Amino acid sequence: MTDTSADTLDSKGFRPDYIVVGSGAGGGTVAARLAQSGMRVLVIEAGSDPVNSGTPGMPEDYQVPAFHAQSSENAAMAWNFGVDHHADAVEAARDPKRMADGHILYPRAAALGGCTAHNAMIFMAPNAQDWDAIAKVTGDASWSAAHMARYWQRVERCQHRNVWRWIYRRTGWNPTGHGFDGWLDTQVAMPTEALRDRAMLSAMLLSARAAFDELSRFRIKAIIAGLWRLLIGKGDPNDVRVNAREGIWYGPISAKSNSRRGTREHLLDIQRRFPDRLHIELDALVTRVLFDAEDRAIGVEYLKGQRLYAAHPAPHGEAAETRQAFAAREVILAGGAFNTPQLLMLSGIGPAGELAAHGIACRVDLPGVGRNLQDRYEVGVVNRMAKPWTALKGATFTRDDPLFAEWRRHGRGMYGSNGVSLAVTRRSHPDRPVPDIFMMGLLARFQGYFPGYSRLVATEHDCLTWAVLLAHTANRAGTVRLASSDPRATPQIQFNYFTETSDPGGRDLAAAVRGVELARQITAPMRKRGRIAEELVPGRDVRGAALADWVRDNAWGHHASCSAAIGPRDAGGVLGSDFRVHGVQGLRVVDASVFPRIPGYFIVSAIYMIGEKAADVLLESAGGQQ
């Protein structure tokens, strides 16, 4: 039963085996699998169900893939964190996205489904090297890429490799590595309706050819390899035979019939099937973990009510009812890279000195809590086209335009897309073991996050943005620190961009600059043919040292990770390879904060996978399925 009061759980004969704090990619996945496997699970979520919230813009801001920018600013689920990119105030002041309080907007979601309720739904497999690195650090072979592949297949229900799905159904042979029987539907981002726009089709073809020419310039072997990848993988970045290669790709997204899919749908499906096993408590802000005298986590304390956290656009400042919930087995934290370390520290687990400064008794001195925070570096090269996109004619990104009517009636049209037309992966330098530059063409103006950024998407229909994402970065210097002992206050978040410590030798900065240069090369044929009127951002005259300065001042990220990392305690680790928090019993973490290094290009798929892995670990620890 959704939103069951914890006060009445015992009276109904329900005491959970597990309490899961957070319903996003990690928490929602592990909770659903545990319940499906026979365990009783209580999910506690700070937000509401966005679809049934009655908030203006809902449910379409949630459901329609093209509305993902609007969803991140919809008050039904928005949590707006203010973060710092630079410790130096003068340097920080040069970022044009800076808000009035001096911080940079970092959108997160408090909702049933967590950030799967507002993300761009891009579903790309992590690189094998990412998993093998964790296996090496921990000495735990269950983290190897060969073993983790089963969790990818357990999650994915691929709807875009029809021939291989047909072969798999009849023979069991599956060289693609795709999952065809999982719970998360995936499809292609750009619908066939886009091909009706001649200018858009021409732009995609010209971009693809320019990217291919750049990838294979003067290299016969590269030309042959590129053609082989295209023949085998069909442009699918998640085909294991071409994964982690340089190339040109389409963009898979987590959607079914052109409608968003995430952990919200998965949890509600499991709850419908097993109502006696899964309870979901919404509008409940967890404030601390409860322990017994032997330092075993036995439950959580939380505040009941809507809009309690300061990150909400209009936080509720009044007192809220305090409640407690207890678990027969374990407590699982899945609040994400900002809230999980905050909750650990509020519960007395973290750097002893920092806890003492806020009057919090230290239960376990774990200096790694809130350290090692990582993210991508991203920038957007924005071009003004000579003519608006025909496919977006009449688009207002609301329920009141003809494109929404087409989506609602037939599940078709441009609103079934997240706006990604084409993607390219490239090494910034030949010595990189896997491509570290990911670029995607967006049929919108996107240059980072700031209040009201989604209005640019809704109003400017003549832009093409090449979003440049830099993966596998050197930066490990980010931090999440308590601002106060008040659980309703947001923490202090500092990413420490491009310092000598976080980017020794300036390699990350040089790689990001290289990404901008590649984006310009891809758009060069359109510029020569007069399809592009001007480069709006950063501007064609911004080159050389000025371009490096522009990247330093304008870069952003939205894949925060690694702030409660797996690793040895004496090396700054917070968790064992079994997700268990060092120094206590019955407490685990299953979200983006667990990774020692941020995996892949888009982190959500890796979080889904660790949710499935954690369920296996917990079930094994509990002695198998009930």
Side-chain angles (χ1 to χ4, degrees):
M1 179 177 278
T2 303
D3 202 17
T4 300
S5 170
D7 286 347
T8 64
L9 292 178
D10 286 335
S11 65
K12 292 184 177 181
F14 181 84
R15 185 181 181 188
D17 296 300
Y18 298 94
I19 293 175
V20 179
V21 180
S23 62
T29 301
V30 69
R33 183 62 63 185
L34 289 172
Q36 190 174 6
S37 301
M39 297 295 184
R40 292 164 298 178
V41 183
L42 170 63
V43 175
I44 303 181
E45 167 58 53
S48 305
D49 182 348
V51 171
N52 300 314
S53 66
T55 306
M58 287 296 173
E60 56 269 16
D61 279 359
Y62 175 87
Q63 295 170 331
V64 181
F67 291 6
H68 62 87
Q70 285 72 19
S71 71
S72 70
E73 295 201 278
N74 191 302
M77 54 186 173
W79 268 9
N80 297 327
F81 286 87
V83 308
D84 295 311
H85 290 166
H86 304 278
D88 181 78
V90 175
E91 194 167 23
R94 293 198 293 265
D95 192 327
K97 300 184 296 299
R98 194 167 59 108
M99 297 185 292
D101 64 1
H103 298 302
I104 303 297
L105 173 65
Y106 203 112
R108 299 283 84 184
L112 182 58
C115 286
T116 72
H118 80 168
N119 67 4
M121 296 154 285
I122 298 172
F123 189 74
M124 289 189 64
N127 302 141
Q129 292 88 339
D130 298 322
W131 299 125
D132 290 338
I134 299 177
K136 184 176 180 180
V137 167
T138 61
D140 183 346
S142 71
W143 282 95
S144 69
H147 187 271
M148 293 300 295
R150 71 186 65 185
Y151 298 120
W152 172 270
Q153 294 182 345
R154 190 184 289 183
V155 171
E156 186 188 28
R157 188 176 185 86
C158 177
Q159 304 287 352
H160 56 92
R161 297 301 298 273
N162 295 331
V163 172
W164 280 114
R165 184 172 67 248
W166 185 89
I167 293 173
Y168 167 73
R169 290 274 188 266
R170 286 153 181 79
T171 68
W173 185 40
N174 180 18
T176 69
H178 274 293
F180 295 110
D181 297 318
W183 53 266
L184 185 68
D185 292 275
T186 63
Q187 64 179 58
V188 178
M190 186 55 60
T192 56
E193 287 82 0
L195 303 183
R196 299 174 187 169
D197 187 334
R198 285 183 155 184
M200 189 178 297
L201 177 60
S202 175
M204 293 171 63
L205 293 174
L206 287 171
S207 297
R209 177 167 182 175
F212 183 82
D213 288 346
E214 199 285 326
L215 285 166
S216 58
R217 190 181 302 276
F218 307 123
R219 296 179 294 172
I220 298 300
K221 289 184 178 180
I223 294 173
I224 295 173
L227 293 173
W228 178 84
R229 287 193 296 271
L230 184 61
L231 177 65
I232 297 296
K234 308 296 184 185
D236 175 8
N238 294 330
D239 190 314
V240 295
R241 297 168 295 179
V242 296
N243 179 257
R245 309 287 181 88
E246 293 181 311
I248 305 162
W249 317 101
Y250 60 77
I253 61 173
S254 53
K256 181 180 181 180
S257 301
N258 293 328
S259 184
R260 176 188 294 274
R261 288 294 182 271
T263 49
R264 175 188 178 273
E265 288 70 34
H266 190 33
L267 284 168
L268 292 179
D269 176 60
I270 296 299
Q271 187 181 63
R272 177 186 58 79
R273 292 162 56 193
F274 307 106
D276 58 330
R277 300 182 197 167
L278 179 61
H279 290 252
I280 303 172
E281 178 87 341
L282 300 175
D283 301 316
L285 179 68
V286 174
T287 58
R288 66 185 177 113
V289 180
L290 303 174
F291 293 89
D292 64 15
E294 283 74 44
D295 282 339
R296 171 174 287 277
I298 58 172
V300 298
E301 189 169 270
Y302 65 95
L303 300 175
K304 180 65 177 178
Q306 294 183 334
R307 300 185 285 113
L308 298 178
Y309 196 55
H312 193 279
H316 195 301
E318 298 179 7
E321 179 187 356
T322 300
R323 297 181 180 178
Q324 293 182 340
F326 297 92
R329 293 184 182 273
E330 299 196 39
V331 174
I332 302 162
L333 303 184
F338 300 156
N339 292 101
T340 285
Q342 180 184 20
L343 187 52
L344 285 170
M345 289 186 279
L346 290 172
S347 305
I349 301 171
E354 184 170 343
L355 300 182
H358 294 287
I360 300 172
C362 183
R363 182 177 297 276
V364 183
D365 183 11
L366 275 184
V369 173
R371 305 304 187 265
N372 193 51
L373 177 66
Q374 298 170 36
D375 208 334
R376 316 291 183 202
Y377 290 122
E378 298 181 52
V379 291
V381 181
V382 183
N383 299 279
R384 177 83 69 192
M385 306 303 292
K387 296 180 180 179
W389 301 114
T390 303
L392 293 177
K393 184 178 180 180
T396 61
F397 292 84
T398 68
R399 67 175 68 175
D400 300 320
D401 70 34
L403 278 74
F404 177 78
E406 183 180 13
W407 177 88
R408 182 177 55 188
R409 285 197 305 266
H410 307 294
R412 296 199 305 262
M414 286 300 297
Y415 280 178
S417 167
N418 65 350
V420 177
S421 60
L422 196 70
V424 178
T425 51
R426 188 76 165 89
R427 286 175 172 82
S428 63
H429 193 274
D431 67 356
R432 292 295 174 104
V434 295
D436 56 331
I437 294 175
F438 180 92
M439 298 181 292
M440 54 184 173
L442 306 174
L443 306 178
R445 180 169 183 167
F446 180 56
Q447 53 199 77
Y449 300 101
F450 51 88
Y453 84 96
S454 64
R455 286 197 295 269
L456 293 180
V457 175
T459 58
E460 300 197 23
H461 300 157
D462 58 352
C463 288
L464 172 64
T465 298
W466 274 95
V468 179
L469 180 151
L470 184 65
H472 310 296
T473 57
N475 191 355
R476 313 277 182 271
T479 59
V480 179
R481 290 188 165 95
L482 290 180
S484 81
S485 59
D486 181 359
R488 296 169 71 161
T490 57
Q492 297 174 341
I493 303 162
Q494 172 62 257
F495 283 99
N496 288 309
Y497 277 13
F498 301 120
T499 68
E500 279 300 321
T501 301
S502 66
D503 184 19
R507 186 165 182 173
D508 283 347
L509 183 59
V513 169
R514 175 62 177 148
V516 174
E517 293 170 344
L518 290 171
R520 285 172 164 171
Q521 290 177 26
I522 290 173
T523 56
M526 283 184 282
R527 187 172 295 105
K528 289 179 180 178
R529 297 191 183 197
R531 307 286 174 80
I532 291 177
E534 61 177 323
E535 182 181 289
L536 296 176
V537 179
R540 293 289 294 168
D541 58 335
V542 180
R543 297 181 177 275
L547 181 57
D549 289 341
W550 178 83
V551 169
R552 183 191 298 275
D553 296 341
N554 286 269
W556 71 86
H558 68 292
H559 297 157
S561 310
C562 310
S563 53
I566 292 170
R569 183 174 178 177
D570 59 3
V574 177
L575 312 173
S577 67
D578 58 358
F579 304 94
R580 195 188 307 271
V581 177
H582 293 312
V584 294
Q585 296 296 313
L587 181 62
R588 310 203 197 212
V589 175
V590 185
D591 61 25
S593 59
V594 311
F595 300 106
R597 298 183 64 173
I598 182 170
Y601 304 111
F602 293 87
I603 194 171
V604 67
S605 63
I607 304 172
Y608 286 133
M609 293 168 71
I610 65 167
E612 293 287 358
K613 177 177 172 55
D616 277 0
V617 171
L618 287 159
L619 290 168
E620 183 178 1
S621 177
Q625 297 182 4
Q626 288 189 338

